Amino acid sequence: MKRFITALVFTAFAFPFVTWGQDVVRRETGAPPTRESGNTIETRNLSGQVEQPAFQGDEELRKKVEEITSRLDAMDETVKELGNDRDALKRIKISGYLQVNFEKSEKQTGLATDPYDTRDYIKGRFRLRRSRIKVQYDGKTTTMVVQGDYSNAGVTLKDAYLEFAEPWLNVFSLRFGVFNRPVFEVETSSSVRESPERSRVIQTLYPGERDLGAMLTVTPMEGLNLQLAAFNNTFKGTFSQQSPNFGREPLYMMGRLTKSFAFGDLGVDLGVHGRIGNVRANTYRVLESDRPTNAAPDSVSVRVGDAIPRNWFGVEAQLYYDFLGGMKLIGEYIIGSDVDELSSSGNVIRKRHFAGFYAMLVKNIGTDFQIALKYDSYNPNATIGEDVINDPNELRVDTFGVGLLNYTFPNVRLTLWYDVVSTKTNERILTEDPKDNLLTFRAQYKF
Amino acid sequence: MSRSFVTNALSFLAILIFAAGFGAVEKITVKGSDTMVILAQRWAERYMAKHPNVSIQVTGGGSGTGISALINGSTDICNSSRPMKQSELKKLKERFGTLGVEIPCAKDGLSIYLNESNPVENLTIDQIRAIYTARVTNWKEVGGKDAKIVLYSRENNSGTYVYFKDNVLKGADYAPSCQNLPGTAAVVNAVAKDPNGIGYGGAAYGKGIKEAKVNGYAPTKENIANGKYPITRYLYMYLRNKPTGEIKRYIDWILGPEGQAIVSEVGYFPIR
């Protein structure tokens, strides 16, 4: 296009000189100027007589200039239209990432569930962990996002939401649809997070990370952010799951408040979040883990329809410091009461008081490498001692992870991570820490 | 987990951290603001002439493009004609664990370009905002001839675009009819050809058209320096970390008398 415009402009400038030169030659030789019939523009004087142009060449030159000018105008219009089309296309943003793992566990059943690889008794395998494409349309104050996970089993919907922001104060925005719940590690994509998986407490409380609902975001000043959300109460968290042991309770609420501070080279982000909501019992028995009865299963009688609270509260902190290339220390601590169903005992609801936290230190090594250390702890029954617990899945688990990350290749991140998993033991149900350490190598591409 | 494993791991970490402190930088990449690209090239040329062992590669692309390059590690220095946004700072913190380093290196007056044939000489900030948000669409409403106003702007990856939106339009959206052009030179050319056009951009590019007074003040060196001209801004350099080695020497030179003299040569205003 540029070449074409340049050629046209060049023609517009060059043509007068070419024709002027021809005219001079003709005048010098006395040859009559060439007349192009049918295209001559006549001009008349005040008495109505036809005026002959001073030189026929001037007339032709004017016609040519007019012709080229009109062509350039038409081209201008075309370029404007193309510009408008391009601006419209730039509002559509496509991004995505792909993660392929090689995982090796110490034990034969230590690998994460993979619906595409149902082989039993394997200790090592490749796994396609993520294959996601996100399409976003940015209107001026509105956004629509759809994200799918693509696998050989089909497409699974992940994000699907619309968002609009008020244009007057630039303080409030509203989001509707399926999206991440407002918690730091939940909202941190695995394409950004250094550890291969989220912490155990986050995975337990927020399976699938997302839910269906609405969220109001308030940003009254730079660095201060409030999120208030309501989600469908589908118990397990993911919008497709509904336990038959629980009756309908329309919604649960979440909120998160964060504030950023900067002290020279040190950045500190602090925040709190909470979840409030009940589930309704569809059964007659509730186990309370903070009662010693959990040791020899006993229950508290409830009536169908009784509200069983599922509330928790969390604090978060992220520290960023420009030390030898930069480092960060992030962590969260969450406590509260969770509700689970004890499928092995029939229609029994289990209510427990949990506590969980994680802390992760990430240090840059130049621009291409990072090293990370993570400690993660989740105790599903924080208010009773381990010795009375009789379900091995209800014992506290601590995980220490160490990893090396590489960013040498554009868009590619390579991760080598080793998790040392320690499960608390007791005399009753688990006398030895299971061998379930896990080595993960991950290749990720993100655009 | 054995004690020797912990010892070995910590030793390995210590070696890596120690090694990271030693990285001789001979090649410096600079990317970002188109407004600053001539200034940055002039700095680089003069510095390389004095330091032949240093190679400085300067490219434009817009402030947003430069900040993205800083975040993904593909440039050492980002030039930006606007401050970094919170969303960009968040990405930098996520990836590098730092808040970045912001270095104001020059001051710029943003000129309002009018075609030379336009009889309007002065506009207020409110009038400019009304024009760019389509509340005023005819030149006669601001003292000009009876003709439709044609709006020209920069593209949205430009720091100038963002600065103008935030500070002149007070966050309001540009009128849908506004034509976004790649580079301030393109805006100047468009206004120079269009008798009804209006555009904006850095003073360094303001040739071939006339610059309107704003609130009664022309974008002169004096008016910008004493703060009477209302549309002024800092031009920034951003880094991921505190500068060290050759990058630090280069930035110190830019902020020194020689670098700041080049700021004036190019048509901007020194900060020192």
Side-chain angles (χ1 to χ4, degrees):
Chain A
M1 178 62 77
K2 268 185 180 174
R3 284 186 181 176
F4 184 53
I5 293 171
T6 309
L8 271 180
V9 172
F10 178 78
T11 309
F13 280 97
F15 186 78
F17 294 105
V18 172
T19 52
W20 178 77
Q22 287 172 348
D23 202 34
V24 169
V25 171
R26 284 188 201 107
R27 273 181 275 144
E28 283 175 350
T29 56
T34 309
R35 183 188 180 90
E36 289 178 12
S37 59
N39 290 326
T40 308
I41 298 169
E42 288 184 344
T43 55
R44 293 175 185 276
N45 60 19
L46 290 174
S47 58
Q49 293 172 320
V50 175
E51 275 187 345
Q52 293 299 322
F55 299 102
Q56 192 63 36
D58 291 348
E59 184 62 28
E60 288 172 6
L61 172 62
R62 189 162 60 241
K63 283 194 306 186
K64 281 290 178 189
V65 169
E66 283 170 0
E67 183 189 330
I68 289 167
T69 306
S70 65
R71 279 190 193 178
L72 281 174
D73 287 345
M75 190 161 289
D76 260 355
E77 285 299 314
T78 308
V79 170
K80 277 180 195 170
E81 282 175 21
L82 286 172
N84 291 339
D85 291 347
R86 187 207 53 186
D87 287 346
L89 286 173
K90 279 177 79 174
R91 294 187 176 282
I92 301 171
K93 294 175 182 168
I94 300 176
S95 59
Y97 65 101
L98 184 75
Q99 293 175 343
V100 181
N101 281 5
F102 179 77
E103 299 160 345
K104 185 152 186 3
S105 173
E106 269 191 315
K107 67 177 181 181
Q108 289 176 329
T109 55
L111 299 174
T113 306
D114 183 355
Y116 319 119
D117 185 353
T118 54
R119 291 177 293 166
D120 290 332
Y121 309 114
I122 53 168
K123 288 184 173 180
R125 59 139 192 236
F126 286 99
R127 178 162 74 103
L128 181 64
R129 184 178 181 275
R130 294 282 186 272
S131 174
R132 292 196 176 169
I133 298 289
K134 182 176 174 182
V135 181
Q136 179 169 339
Y137 182 83
D138 272 339
K140 293 200 169 177
T141 54
T142 59
T143 306
M144 178 180 150
V145 174
V146 175
Q147 181 175 211
D149 192 79
Y150 297 77
S151 72
N152 51 5
V155 178
T156 311
L157 183 66
K158 292 299 173 184
D159 290 309
Y161 62 85
L162 63 96
E163 188 170 79
F164 54 93
E166 49 83 17
W168 307 283
L169 300 170
N170 291 315
V171 170
F172 300 97
S173 66
L174 262 175
R175 181 183 288 190
F176 295 93
V178 179
F179 49 89
N180 280 327
R181 283 168 281 185
V183 179
F184 177 77
E185 204 182 36
V186 170
E187 289 190 331
T188 304
S189 163
S190 67
S191 64
V192 173
R193 191 186 61 242
E194 290 79 8
S195 60
E197 300 299 336
R198 290 183 172 83
S199 313
R200 199 169 295 256
V201 61
I202 297 291
Q203 290 186 54
T204 306
L205 299 179
Y206 300 102
E209 296 89 46
R210 295 156 179 83
D211 217 335
L212 176 57
M215 183 163 74
L216 171 71
T217 301
V218 186
T219 311
M221 56 188 284
E222 210 167 76
L224 179 64
N225 203 43
L226 174 67
Q227 295 164 294
L228 296 169
F231 295 103
N232 274 357
N233 202 355
T234 43
F235 174 55
K236 282 290 187 184
T238 52
F239 55 95
S240 59
Q241 293 181 4
Q242 173 71 57
S243 167
N245 283 343
F246 297 90
R248 289 177 184 170
E249 178 81 359
L251 301 171
Y252 68 91
M253 308 293 169
M254 288 196 69
R256 181 181 176 215
L257 178 68
T258 56
K259 177 81 178 87
S260 298
F261 303 91
F263 308 99
D265 297 336
L266 176 68
V268 181
D269 293 355
L270 299 174
V272 293
H273 84 267
R275 180 212 191 272
I276 296 174
N278 300 323
V279 292
R280 297 278 172 184
N282 264 2
T283 180
Y284 295 95
R285 296 171 63 206
V286 172
L287 283 179
E288 294 238 18
S289 72
D290 52 355
R291 290 164 179 261
T293 52
N294 197 34
D298 200 355
S299 61
V300 177
S301 292
V302 292
R303 288 172 299 193
V304 170
D306 276 1
I308 305 165
R310 194 163 182 252
N311 303 333
W312 54 78
F313 172 78
V315 293
E316 65 181 67
Q318 299 99 41
L319 275 69
Y320 306 92
Y321 186 51
D322 188 358
F323 170 69
L324 285 179
M327 59 184 287
K328 65 180 177 183
L329 176 64
I330 61 178
E332 282 183 270
Y333 181 79
I334 306 173
I335 53 169
S337 62
D338 193 12
V339 178
D340 197 1
E341 57 184 334
L342 199 61
S343 55
S344 60
S345 305
N347 291 340
V348 176
I349 296 170
R350 179 166 54 191
K351 179 185 167 193
R352 53 203 177 168
H353 296 274
F354 69 88
F357 72 92
Y358 70 87
M360 180 161 66
L361 175 72
V362 182
K363 173 76 188 76
N364 294 318
I365 311 293
T367 53
D368 284 354
F369 286 93
Q370 283 180 325
I371 193 158
L373 304 169
K374 185 174 186 180
Y375 188 78
D376 148 18
S377 175
Y378 175 56
N379 188 351
N381 300 283
T383 51
I384 55 173
E386 272 103 17
D387 54 335
V388 297
I389 291 173
N390 63 356
D391 180 345
N393 296 319
E394 289 295 301
L395 290 162
R396 172 178 164 169
V397 179
D398 298 325
T399 308
F400 174 70
V402 57
L404 181 67
L405 296 95
N406 174 268
Y407 298 84
T408 301
F409 304 99
N411 300 85
V412 172
R413 185 174 78 176
L414 304 175
T415 305
L416 185 63
W417 191 276
Y418 191 68
D419 272 330
V420 180
V421 184
S422 305
T423 307
K424 289 286 177 191
T425 56
N426 67 8
E427 291 296 323
R428 182 185 298 273
I429 193 74
L430 194 71
T431 54
E432 194 177 336
D433 180 13
K435 291 182 182 297
D436 48 5
N437 294 353
L438 182 66
L439 176 73
T440 305
F441 171 76
R442 174 176 298 170
Q444 171 185 289
Y445 192 97
K446 185 184 180 190
F447 69 96
Chain B
M1 197 163 41
S2 71
R3 194 170 173 174
S4 63
F5 174 80
V6 175
T7 311
N8 290 338
L10 290 176
S11 305
F12 179 62
L13 177 63
I15 290 167
L16 285 177
I17 292 172
F18 187 71
F22 294 90
V25 180
E26 294 298 333
K27 185 178 175 186
I28 301 172
T29 53
V30 181
K31 192 173 178 66
S33 167
D34 285 322
T35 301
M36 294 172 69
V37 76
I38 292 174
L39 175 62
Q41 280 169 347
R42 202 67 63 82
W43 275 332
E45 285 161 10
R46 298 275 180 88
Y47 191 81
M48 285 191 289
K50 286 195 154 196
H51 303 82
N53 61 323
V54 181
S55 165
I56 303 171
Q57 184 187 7
V58 178
T59 50
S63 300
T65 306
I67 291 172
S68 295
L70 190 77
I71 292 165
N72 68 30
S74 61
T75 188
D76 299 312
I77 298 172
C78 157
N79 286 338
S80 179
S81 57
R82 61 167 173 83
M84 198 182 271
K85 295 177 194 170
Q86 284 294 311
S87 57
E88 293 163 336
L89 179 59
K90 181 172 179 277
K91 287 179 184 169
L92 186 68
K93 288 197 291 191
E94 279 175 352
R95 170 63 184 85
F96 285 100
T98 68
L99 305 181
V101 178
E102 180 185 270
I103 303 167
C105 54
K107 206 171 176 187
D108 180 27
L110 212 61
S111 298
I112 301 298
Y113 308 134
L114 301 178
N115 188 278
E116 276 177 340
S117 66
N118 194 324
V120 174
E121 295 292 335
N122 179 62
L123 291 167
T124 65
I125 285 279
D126 288 342
Q127 284 174 330
I128 297 168
R129 186 182 310 127
I131 287 171
Y132 269 93
T133 52
R135 285 188 286 117
V136 167
T137 56
N138 195 301
W139 281 114
K140 72 179 178 184
E141 296 176 71
V142 290
K145 58 194 173 187
D146 183 6
K148 190 182 171 190
I149 301 173
V150 182
L151 304 173
Y152 295 100
S153 166
R154 292 290 310 280
E155 291 182 306
N156 59 8
N157 63 345
S158 146
T160 311
Y161 173 100
V162 175
Y163 175 86
F164 194 81
K165 183 178 178 184
D166 290 348
N167 294 276
V168 179
L169 307 190
K170 304 291 180 200
D173 279 324
Y174 287 87
S177 62
C178 191
Q179 296 174 45
N180 297 339
L181 300 175
T184 304
V187 175
V188 168
N189 285 336
V191 176
K193 284 181 187 169
D194 188 341
N196 302 318
I198 182 171
Y200 61 84
Y205 290 85
K207 291 173 183 168
I209 39 82
K210 75 175 180 184
E211 295 171 339
K213 290 179 182 173
V214 178
N215 289 355
Y217 294 99
T220 61
K221 184 177 179 180
E222 294 71 32
N223 287 337
I224 289 170
N226 63 25
K228 286 182 178 170
Y229 184 75
I231 318 178
T232 58
R233 59 177 174 173
Y234 282 102
L235 303 177
Y236 301 97
M237 299 171 91
Y238 280 100
L239 294 91
R240 282 181 293 273
N241 310 104
K242 286 190 293 273
T244 56
E246 196 59 56
I247 292 178
K248 182 175 188 314
R249 283 190 284 279
Y250 181 50
I251 288 170
D252 287 344
W253 177 84
I254 285 171
L255 298 177
E258 211 170 335
Q260 291 296 294
I262 294 171
V263 170
S264 301
E265 271 176 36
V266 175
Y268 296 107
F269 307 96
I271 53 158
R272 292 182 181 177

